[in-house]
Amino acid sequence: MLNKVKEFRDKANITQEQLAKKLRVSRQTIISIEAGRYNPSLILAFKISKVFCKQIEDIFIFSELEGEVKDE
Amino acid sequence: MLNKVKEFRDKANITQEQLAKKLRVSRQTIISIEAGRYNPSLILAFKISKVFCKQIEDIFIFSELEGEVKDE
DNA sequence: ATGTTATGTAAGGCTAACTTGACATCGGAA
DNA sequence: TTCCGATGTCAAGTTAGCCTTACATAACAT
Protein backbone atom coordinates (compact mmCIF):
# COMPACT_ATOMS: atom_id res chain seq x y z
CA MET A 1 0.00 0.00 0.00
CA LEU A 2 1.48 3.30 -1.11
CA ASN A 3 0.99 6.44 0.95
CA LYS A 4 1.60 10.17 0.73
CA VAL A 5 2.43 10.84 4.35
CA LYS A 6 5.84 12.30 3.64
CA GLU A 7 4.39 14.38 0.83
CA PHE A 8 1.69 15.88 3.05
CA ARG A 9 4.09 16.26 5.94
CA ASP A 10 6.46 18.23 3.74
CA LYS A 11 3.59 20.38 2.54
CA ALA A 12 2.58 20.99 6.15
CA ASN A 13 6.20 21.81 6.85
CA ILE A 14 6.51 19.79 10.03
CA THR A 15 9.16 17.32 11.16
CA GLN A 16 8.70 13.61 11.75
CA GLU A 17 8.97 14.25 15.45
CA GLN A 18 6.28 16.93 15.42
CA LEU A 19 3.96 14.68 13.48
CA ALA A 20 4.68 11.80 15.85
CA LYS A 21 3.77 14.02 18.78
CA LYS A 22 0.50 15.11 17.21
CA LEU A 23 -0.41 11.49 16.55
CA ARG A 24 0.96 10.31 19.87
CA VAL A 25 3.12 7.63 18.31
CA SER A 26 6.86 7.17 18.21
CA ARG A 27 9.08 8.71 15.56
CA GLN A 28 10.03 5.21 14.46
CA THR A 29 6.43 4.58 13.52
CA ILE A 30 6.40 7.64 11.26
CA ILE A 31 9.66 6.61 9.66
CA SER A 32 8.44 3.08 9.02
CA ILE A 33 5.15 4.22 7.54
CA GLU A 34 6.75 6.85 5.32
CA ALA A 35 9.27 4.27 4.18
CA GLY A 36 6.44 1.84 3.46
CA ARG A 37 7.85 -0.79 5.78
CA TYR A 38 4.38 -1.44 7.12
CA ASN A 39 0.90 0.01 7.04
CA PRO A 40 -0.61 1.98 9.89
CA SER A 41 -3.49 0.58 11.88
CA LEU A 42 -6.92 1.83 10.85
CA ILE A 43 -7.01 4.10 13.88
CA LEU A 44 -3.65 5.62 13.08
CA ALA A 45 -4.69 6.07 9.46
CA PHE A 46 -7.75 7.98 10.68
CA LYS A 47 -5.62 10.21 12.89
CA ILE A 48 -3.19 10.91 10.06
CA SER A 49 -5.99 11.82 7.69
CA LYS A 50 -7.37 14.13 10.35
CA VAL A 51 -4.06 15.90 10.86
CA PHE A 52 -3.84 16.68 7.16
CA CYS A 53 -7.58 17.33 6.82
CA LYS A 54 -7.92 14.70 4.11
CA GLN A 55 -9.82 11.51 3.49
CA ILE A 56 -7.99 8.28 4.20
CA GLU A 57 -8.30 7.47 0.51
CA ASP A 58 -6.44 10.67 -0.37
CA ILE A 59 -3.38 9.63 1.61
CA PHE A 60 -3.30 5.86 1.39
CA ILE A 61 -3.41 4.29 -2.04
CA PHE A 62 -4.89 0.83 -2.06
CA SER A 63 -3.31 -1.10 -4.89
CA GLU A 64 -5.41 -3.69 -6.63
CA LEU A 65 -2.43 -6.00 -6.40
CA GLU A 66 -2.66 -6.41 -2.66
CA GLY A 67 -5.75 -8.56 -2.51
CA GLU A 68 -8.54 -8.47 -4.99
CA VAL A 69 -12.10 -8.80 -3.79
CA LYS A 70 -13.68 -12.00 -4.97
CA ASP A 71 -16.62 -11.19 -7.22
CA GLU A 72 -18.49 -14.26 -6.07
CA MET B 1 -13.98 2.36 16.76
CA LEU B 2 -17.57 1.67 15.76
CA ASN B 3 -18.39 0.12 12.40
CA LYS B 4 -21.40 -0.64 10.24
CA VAL B 5 -20.17 -3.87 8.70
CA LYS B 6 -23.08 -5.93 9.94
CA GLU B 7 -25.49 -3.23 8.85
CA PHE B 8 -24.11 -3.13 5.31
CA ARG B 9 -23.79 -6.90 5.17
CA ASP B 10 -27.45 -7.27 6.09
CA LYS B 11 -28.39 -4.72 3.46
CA ALA B 12 -26.33 -6.65 0.92
CA ASN B 13 -28.09 -9.76 2.13
CA ILE B 14 -25.02 -11.95 2.37
CA THR B 15 -23.80 -14.23 5.15
CA GLN B 16 -20.65 -13.80 7.21
CA GLU B 17 -19.14 -16.70 5.33
CA GLN B 18 -19.87 -15.19 1.93
CA LEU B 19 -18.38 -11.89 2.99
CA ALA B 20 -15.33 -13.67 4.39
CA LYS B 21 -14.83 -15.41 1.07
CA LYS B 22 -15.05 -12.18 -0.88
CA LEU B 23 -12.49 -10.58 1.41
CA ARG B 24 -10.38 -13.72 1.60
CA VAL B 25 -10.35 -13.74 5.37
CA SER B 26 -11.74 -16.20 7.87
CA ARG B 27 -15.27 -16.10 9.19
CA GLN B 28 -13.83 -15.50 12.64
CA THR B 29 -12.34 -12.26 11.44
CA ILE B 30 -15.74 -11.06 10.24
CA ILE B 31 -17.36 -12.05 13.52
CA SER B 32 -14.70 -10.26 15.56
CA ILE B 33 -14.90 -7.09 13.52
CA GLU B 34 -18.71 -6.99 13.56
CA ALA B 35 -18.62 -7.60 17.28
CA GLY B 36 -16.11 -4.80 17.68
CA ARG B 37 -13.55 -7.03 19.35
CA TYR B 38 -10.84 -5.46 17.23
CA ASN B 39 -10.41 -3.20 14.25
CA PRO B 40 -9.50 -4.44 10.81
CA SER B 41 -6.14 -3.65 9.30
CA LEU B 42 -6.10 -0.71 6.91
CA ILE B 43 -5.92 -3.09 3.97
CA LEU B 44 -8.92 -5.08 5.16
CA ALA B 45 -10.82 -1.87 5.79
CA PHE B 46 -10.13 -0.86 2.19
CA LYS B 47 -11.37 -4.21 0.90
CA ILE B 48 -14.52 -4.00 3.00
CA SER B 49 -15.28 -0.50 1.76
CA LYS B 50 -14.78 -1.75 -1.76
CA VAL B 51 -17.19 -4.65 -1.35
CA PHE B 52 -19.91 -2.30 -0.18
CA CYS B 53 -18.94 0.45 -2.62
CA LYS B 54 -18.48 2.96 0.17
CA GLN B 55 -15.78 5.16 1.58
CA ILE B 56 -13.92 3.83 4.60
CA GLU B 57 -15.30 6.76 6.56
CA ASP B 58 -18.85 5.65 5.76
CA ILE B 59 -18.35 2.28 7.38
CA PHE B 60 -15.88 2.89 10.17
CA ILE B 61 -16.67 5.59 12.67
CA PHE B 62 -13.62 7.10 14.27
CA SER B 63 -14.58 8.23 17.74
CA GLU B 64 -12.87 11.28 19.14
CA LEU B 65 -12.39 9.32 22.33
CA GLU B 66 -9.89 6.92 20.90
CA GLY B 67 -6.96 9.26 20.58
CA GLU B 68 -7.25 12.94 19.99
CA VAL B 69 -4.78 14.64 17.69
CA LYS B 70 -2.55 17.00 19.56
CA ASP B 71 -3.16 20.53 18.28
CA GLU B 72 0.45 21.46 18.84
C1' DA C 1 -36.57 -36.25 15.29
C1' DT C 2 -32.76 -35.12 12.27
C1' DG C 3 -30.05 -32.36 9.48
C1' DT C 4 -28.53 -27.98 7.71
C1' DT C 5 -27.56 -23.08 7.75
C1' DA C 6 -26.10 -19.05 10.19
C1' DT C 7 -24.10 -17.28 14.04
C1' DG C 8 -21.24 -17.37 18.09
C1' DT C 9 -17.39 -18.67 21.68
C1' DA C 10 -12.83 -20.47 23.15
C1' DA C 11 -8.02 -21.64 22.76
C1' DG C 12 -3.49 -21.58 20.69
C1' DG C 13 -0.26 -19.94 17.29
C1' DC C 14 1.84 -16.55 13.90
C1' DT C 15 3.03 -12.10 12.07
C1' DA C 16 2.39 -7.18 11.56
C1' DA C 17 2.07 -2.96 14.00
C1' DC C 18 3.72 -0.69 17.57
C1' DT C 19 7.36 0.57 21.48
C1' DT C 20 12.07 2.11 23.51
C1' DG C 21 16.92 2.87 23.28
C1' DA C 22 21.32 3.31 21.20
C1' DC C 23 23.86 4.86 17.50
C1' DA C 24 25.05 6.81 12.38
C1' DT C 25 24.79 10.45 8.87
C1' DC C 26 24.24 14.66 6.73
C1' DG C 27 23.37 19.80 6.19
C1' DG C 28 23.24 24.13 8.05
C1' DA C 29 24.23 27.57 11.73
C1' DA C 30 27.35 29.51 15.28
C1' DT D 1 35.35 23.42 12.70
C1' DT D 2 31.99 22.20 15.90
C1' DC D 3 27.44 21.53 17.12
C1' DC D 4 22.72 20.53 16.53
C1' DG D 5 18.44 19.35 14.20
C1' DA D 6 16.37 16.14 11.12
C1' DT D 7 16.51 11.77 9.25
C1' DG D 8 17.61 7.01 9.30
C1' DT D 9 19.19 2.10 10.88
C1' DC D 10 19.34 -1.82 14.09
C1' DA D 11 17.83 -4.72 17.76
C1' DA D 12 14.71 -6.57 21.05
C1' DG D 13 10.28 -6.50 23.30
C1' DT D 14 4.87 -6.11 23.55
C1' DT D 15 0.28 -6.19 21.68
C1' DA D 16 -3.32 -6.42 18.19
C1' DG D 17 -4.93 -8.45 13.97
C1' DC D 18 -5.19 -12.41 11.75
C1' DC D 19 -5.37 -17.82 11.41
C1' DT D 20 -7.21 -22.77 12.30
C1' DT D 21 -9.76 -26.09 14.87
C1' DA D 22 -13.28 -27.49 17.66
C1' DC D 23 -17.54 -27.05 19.75
C1' DA D 24 -22.35 -24.64 21.04
C1' DT D 25 -26.84 -22.83 19.84
C1' DA D 26 -30.94 -21.38 17.60
C1' DA D 27 -33.96 -21.40 13.44
C1' DC D 28 -35.77 -23.61 10.02
C1' DA D 29 -36.77 -27.40 6.62
C1' DT D 30 -37.24 -32.29 5.68
Side-chain angles (χ1 to χ4, degrees):
Chain A
M1 163 121 49
L2 299 179
N3 74 75
K4 303 184 177 171
V5 173
K6 177 168 175 45
E7 180 181 327
F8 282 114
R9 182 175 61 81
D10 285 341
K11 270 185 200 163
N13 210 44
I14 59 178
T15 71
Q16 292 176 339
E17 196 155 13
Q18 289 172 327
L19 179 58
K21 242 181 207 168
K22 280 180 194 286
L23 300 170
R24 302 189 187 279
V25 296
S26 70
R27 192 170 61 90
Q28 285 308 317
T29 297
I30 304 298
I31 290 175
S32 295
I33 290 172
E34 285 190 356
R37 266 191 279 280
Y38 54 66
N39 302 120
S41 68
L42 183 53
I43 287 187
L44 184 49
F46 262 103
K47 290 194 207 167
I48 291 172
S49 73
K50 202 174 175 188
V51 164
F52 297 129
C53 299
K54 298 283 173 186
Q55 300 258 85
I56 287 184
E57 289 86 351
D58 296 329
I59 303 178
F60 300 94
I61 313 302
F62 179 69
S63 158
E64 307 300 324
L65 305 171
E66 48 203 337
E68 198 46 61
V69 216
K70 242 185 147 183
D71 41 336
E72 172 271 334
Chain B
M1 163 119 50
L2 299 179
N3 74 75
K4 303 183 177 173
V5 173
K6 177 168 176 42
E7 179 181 329
F8 282 114
R9 182 175 61 81
D10 284 342
K11 269 185 200 164
N13 210 45
I14 60 178
T15 71
Q16 292 176 339
E17 196 155 14
Q18 289 172 328
L19 179 58
K21 243 180 205 168
K22 279 179 195 288
L23 300 170
R24 303 188 185 279
V25 296
S26 70
R27 191 171 60 91
Q28 287 310 316
T29 297
I30 304 298
I31 289 175
S32 295
I33 290 172
E34 285 190 355
R37 266 191 278 280
Y38 55 65
N39 302 119
S41 68
L42 183 53
I43 288 188
L44 185 49
F46 262 102
K47 290 194 208 168
I48 292 172
S49 73
K50 202 173 176 187
V51 164
F52 296 129
C53 300
K54 297 283 173 186
Q55 301 258 84
I56 288 184
E57 289 86 352
D58 296 328
I59 303 177
F60 300 94
I61 313 302
F62 179 68
S63 157
E64 308 300 324
L65 305 171
E66 48 202 338
E68 198 46 60
V69 214
K70 243 184 147 184
D71 41 336
E72 174 271 333

